[in-house]
Amino acid sequence: MHFHAPTPPEATRMSEHIYKTVELTGSSKISSDEAIRAAIERASKTIRDIRWFHVTEVRGHVDGGKVAYWQVTLKIGFTLEG
């Protein structure tokens, strides 16, 4: 006898979506978080239905012994229409 646990509704909804990913690099003089926000906010002007992001790299520029700006590379995922 085999027992199969019911599939949670969230898993069912997730499996019904197909996502496309795009790589972005955001920059900020303030922080790495701000660089992420800037990249997502800019991308959302031309890409609909952004659902998630994944940071792949954090780097920055040092000037005079201080962090001058942050650069964050991230992948964003969005649902395909249709």
Side-chain angles (χ1 to χ4, degrees):
M1 176 182 223
H2 295 290
F3 175 75
H4 296 285
T7 304
E10 303 83 32
T12 303
R13 283 195 300 270
M14 279 294 267
S15 66
E16 294 171 355
H17 291 109
I18 303 298
Y19 295 93
K20 178 163 179 68
T21 60
V22 174
E23 187 173 80
L24 307 170
T25 301
S27 62
S28 169
K29 291 182 178 182
I30 299 168
S31 69
S32 58
D33 287 351
E34 186 60 32
I36 293 167
R37 286 186 181 90
I40 292 171
E41 287 174 15
R42 175 59 184 89
S44 69
K45 291 180 180 181
T46 57
I47 299 172
R48 289 188 299 268
D49 298 322
I50 296 173
R51 299 292 181 209
W52 55 265
F53 70 92
H54 171 80
V55 173
T56 59
E57 184 176 14
V58 177
R59 60 186 177 273
H61 177 73
V62 177
D63 188 15
K66 297 183 180 182
V67 175
Y69 67 88
W70 297 85
Q71 281 190 327
V72 180
T73 300
L74 56 141
K75 291 184 180 183
I76 60 166
F78 57 95
T79 54
L80 294 176
E81 294 180 354

